[in-house]
Amino acid sequence: MSQVTITVRGESETRVRAEEAAVRVTVSTDGPTRGPVVERAQERAASVQDGLVAHLRSGEVSEWSSARVSVWSDRPWNSEGAQLPLVHHASVELSATFTDAGALSWWLGDVAESDDVQVTAVDWRLARDTRVGVERKVAAAAVQVAVERAAAYAEALGLASVTAVEIADAGLLESRQDAAAPRMMFAKADTGPSFSLQPPELVVGATVEGRFVAE
């Protein structure tokens, strides 16, 4: 046995406390008259925006935007199959990135007091520089696991020299036609409600495949 090709997979993951929360809210109003409906939506959205601007100035929000404004009308039907008078609707979607969990809790409690405002999502994540650094460390650790596995296989075969030929994200080595969908770098919240106002731990992981030659 002069030379053997060894193909292995390496995985690694770590947990990091979330640093930011991307929040999306929708201001929605409706009524029988278009003008007052639109005006009420604009006023309530302006109030929400004022709060975001205040948090931006204090450094508790890194960015915010008003992404979408919609105005439409429809004629609902009652239980007897009769069409009712025209109803007008207006909605404004806003999003913001909070860097302070306490400020987020306060702000959500404030906006939730209005029936016109719905919190549609709170997505926890890492700051960009933190994410990049953690992903690099996790990727390097996954490669090291693959190297150690290849070395263990080679040792079991009585071979001493192990040389890496290919390293790729899971599923990308051409010879693995039956591989599952590639598992790339990911960051997700640990188990628990997505609307938790305490930053959850995020799981950052990587899976790689490596091909080695042992002799």
Side-chain angles (χ1 to χ4, degrees), residues 27-155:
V27 177
S28 302
T29 58
D30 57 65
T33 307
R34 181 185 179 92
V37 167
V38 174
E39 183 177 352
R40 191 167 78 250
Q42 292 173 335
E43 291 176 352
R44 192 66 190 96
S47 177
V48 175
Q49 291 172 2
D50 289 344
L52 292 176
V53 170
H55 285 296
L56 180 67
R57 290 173 177 169
S58 65
E60 297 158 337
V61 166
S62 60
E63 61 180 356
W64 74 272
S65 64
S66 180
R68 181 181 177 185
V69 179
S70 302
V71 179
W72 73 99
S73 303
D74 58 27
R75 289 185 181 276
W77 300 80
N78 64 16
S79 59
E80 298 176 354
Q83 196 167 28
L84 300 176
L86 197 65
V87 177
H88 302 277
H89 309 268
S91 70
V92 181
E93 295 182 4
L94 302 101
S95 61
T97 300
F98 277 80
T99 57
D100 183 278
L104 172 61
S105 300
W106 182 90
W107 182 77
L108 287 179
D110 182 52
V111 299
E113 292 181 357
S114 173
D115 293 335
D116 295 333
V117 180
Q118 297 82 40
V119 179
T120 57
V122 177
D123 298 321
W124 295 98
R125 64 194 185 190
L126 299 176
R128 182 184 180 281
D129 290 346
T130 301
R131 175 177 54 80
V132 171
V134 172
E135 287 181 349
R136 287 176 62 88
K137 291 180 180 179
V138 172
V143 172
Q144 184 60 36
V145 170
V147 171
E148 292 174 356
R149 285 180 177 172
Y153 291 164
E155 182 179 354

Side-chain angles (χ1 to χ4, degrees), residues 8-15 135 138-139 141-143 145 149 167-173 176 178-189 202-210:
V8 295
R9 175 173 291 189
E11 306 94 356
S12 179
E13 69 176 37
T14 188
R15 296 171 183 268
E135 287 181 349
V138 172
V143 172
V145 170
R149 285 180 177 172
I167 294 290
D169 286 336
L172 296 183
L173 289 185
R176 296 185 62 84
D178 59 344
R183 182 188 176 202
M184 307 297 288
M185 287 288 185
F186 67 95
K188 65 180 181 179
L202 303 181
V203 179
V204 182
T207 299
V208 301
E209 291 173 354

